[in-house]
Amino acid sequence: MTESKVDQAVTLINVFTVPPEESALFLERWKDNARIMAVQDGFIRARMFRAVTDNAESRFINVAEWETGKALDAARVNPEWRASIKRMLDDPDLHVTPRPIVYTTDLDVLPGDTL
């Protein structure tokens, strides 16, 4: 897990490969993680997107917004959160591949904007 080390807003985008039949269990485990993160300093919001087709490799995509990269870094060392992640990844009934990356915004386009 890499640190973002920035004092500006960041977005964590985590793409998950999950077998279709494990989707409900995955969402329960993810909610456990989200409950912990939602009360951390600097957390703005998180959304989980699900692919509309069952054959998508990237079945779920989590988009989490943070006030700063440093706030996200601090939250990610929380022992309770780390234990929750370990439970999800070590669950023998759940075969999840996460691919988290932290981003800053380079361009924000709104309706009617001329670029």
Side-chain angles (χ1 to χ4, degrees):
M1 178 171 26
T2 60
E3 293 182 352
S4 51
K5 300 180 185 182
V6 296
D7 280 323
Q8 67 191 81
V10 296
T11 301
L12 168 69
I13 300 176
N14 198 348
V15 178
F16 295 93
T17 300
V18 180
E21 63 278 5
E22 297 175 10
S23 293
L25 178 58
F26 166 73
L27 285 174
E28 287 305 310
R29 295 289 182 267
W30 184 83
K31 287 179 198 176
D32 292 341
N33 301 330
R35 278 188 279 277
I36 296 164
M37 292 307 251
V39 296
Q40 302 303 306
D41 290 339
F43 176 83
I44 298 172
R45 79 171 178 177
R47 293 178 290 166
M48 180 63 78
F49 297 90
R50 182 195 303 232
V52 296
T53 62
D54 280 343
N55 63 350
E57 179 181 350
S58 301
R59 173 162 312 286
F60 292 97
I61 298 176
N62 168 233
V63 178
E65 299 173 30
W66 289 82
E67 289 177 3
T68 66
K70 290 181 179 179
L72 171 60
D73 292 343
R76 286 166 48 167
V77 298
N78 176 308
E80 184 182 10
W81 178 77
R82 290 174 90 65
S84 178
I85 290 294
K86 184 170 176 24
R87 274 191 305 277
M88 180 174 68
L89 296 177
D90 291 349
D91 188 325
D93 296 323
L94 193 55
H95 304 89
V96 174
T97 303
R99 292 178 298 285
I101 300 177
V102 178
Y103 296 88
T104 57
T105 301
D106 271 1
L107 184 62
D108 192 5
V109 180
L110 301 173
D113 284 356
T114 56
L115 302 177

